Amino acid sequence: MANDLTPKYTVPGIDREAAGRLIGLLRLRLHALNDLHLTLKHVHWNVVGPHFIAVHEMIDPQVDRVRDMADDVAERIAALGGVAQGTPGALVAERSWDDYSVGRADALAHLGALDLVYTGVIEDVRTAIKEAGDIDPATEDLLIEQLRDLEQFQWFVRAHLETAGGALTTEGAHTEEQAASRGGELD
């Protein structure tokens, strides 16, 4: 990522250096959201099995909302005086995570892996909210709104992975492959 993201101008009430810090954290959120909507489409295209239609149709509204989130983040970056780097090269160069690792797979396997993806994204959004909250309530509010939707999407995913006893079949999984292999297990 570019070292100095300090803009030449920013919104009233925020100094340029603080705006640069916000731009840096929003830039990573933009990459995460762009990656997430592509990952969700990958799941949508590659899901198979008896739960295919339920998962296939559940994913598209998530894709649409995550794309809207990315647009909101990019517009906030621009409002702060920054450049919204939405190119694939910038995403790959600046991200701190690996590509989604599950190809064509059963619906429950994809949902198991997707649960871990959502956990990572949500944890990073919570960290960004804390950092933004020290600088700018408008950016913090934007991220809080997105957090609510991301948590709801994870809840939709987890509803397929929860046992009658209230446990997740993917509990204890640390990789997408582990979560995918446990996704179909039921007790």
Side-chain angles (χ1 to χ4, degrees), residues 97-118:
W97 58 90
D98 294 326
D99 270 341
Y100 184 75
S101 60
V102 179
R104 185 178 177 91
D106 178 84
L108 294 176
H110 271 299
L111 292 175
L114 196 52
D115 180 42
L116 284 186
V117 170
Y118 271 121

Side-chain angles (χ1 to χ4, degrees), residues 12 17 20 23-24 50 52 87 104-105 113 116-117 161 163 166 176 180 182:
E17 290 74 24
I23 291 165
F52 160 79
T87 62
R104 185 178 177 91
L116 284 186
V117 170
L161 302 170
T163 67
E176 290 167 3
R182 295 178 188 177

Side-chain angles (χ1 to χ4, degrees), residues 93-173:
E94 297 175 14
R95 70 182 178 186
S96 61
W97 58 90
D98 294 326
D99 270 341
Y100 184 75
S101 60
V102 179
R104 185 178 177 91
D106 178 84
L108 294 176
H110 271 299
L111 292 175
L114 196 52
D115 180 42
L116 284 186
V117 170
Y118 271 121
T119 293
V121 171
I122 288 167
E123 287 173 347
D124 288 347
V125 171
R126 285 187 174 280
T127 299
I129 288 168
K130 288 178 186 170
E131 190 174 336
D134 292 337
I135 302 170
D136 175 40
T139 302
E140 178 187 38
D141 183 60
L142 171 73
L143 294 171
I144 289 170
E145 175 189 352
Q146 293 180 355
L147 176 65
R148 281 192 300 269
D149 288 343
L150 292 166
E151 287 178 344
Q152 182 181 48
F153 297 157
Q154 186 178 38
W155 171 53
F156 292 166
V157 167
R158 285 181 166 181
H160 293 269
L161 302 170
E162 188 176 356
T163 67
L168 292 176
T169 59
T170 54
E171 186 175 340

Side-chain angles (χ1 to χ4, degrees), residues 17-35:
E17 290 74 24
R21 290 194 305 277
L22 287 172
I23 291 165
L25 82 91
L26 288 173
R27 197 168 152 127
L28 291 176
R29 292 304 84 232
L30 179 61
H31 294 330
L33 291 167
N34 282 331
D35 184 84

Side-chain angles (χ1 to χ4, degrees), residues 38-134:
L38 291 170
T39 297
L40 289 166
K41 282 310 283 189
H42 172 84
V43 170
H44 174 84
W45 295 323
N46 290 290
V47 65
V48 297
H51 304 285
F52 160 79
I53 199 65
V55 172
H56 186 78
E57 290 183 355
M58 177 181 75
I59 296 294
D60 267 342
Q62 293 182 25
V63 170
D64 293 342
R65 178 62 186 120
V66 170
R67 283 182 176 158
D68 287 343
M69 289 179 195
D71 192 53
D72 291 343
V73 167
E75 289 173 357
R76 185 66 185 156
I77 290 169
L80 290 165
V83 174
Q85 269 303 7
T87 62
L91 187 161
V92 171
E94 297 175 14
R95 70 182 178 186
S96 61
W97 58 90
D98 294 326
D99 270 341
Y100 184 75
S101 60
V102 179
R104 185 178 177 91
D106 178 84
L108 294 176
H110 271 299
L111 292 175
L114 196 52
D115 180 42
L116 284 186
V117 170
Y118 271 121
T119 293
V121 171
I122 288 167
E123 287 173 347
D124 288 347
V125 171
R126 285 187 174 280
T127 299
I129 288 168
K130 288 178 186 170
E131 190 174 336
D134 292 337

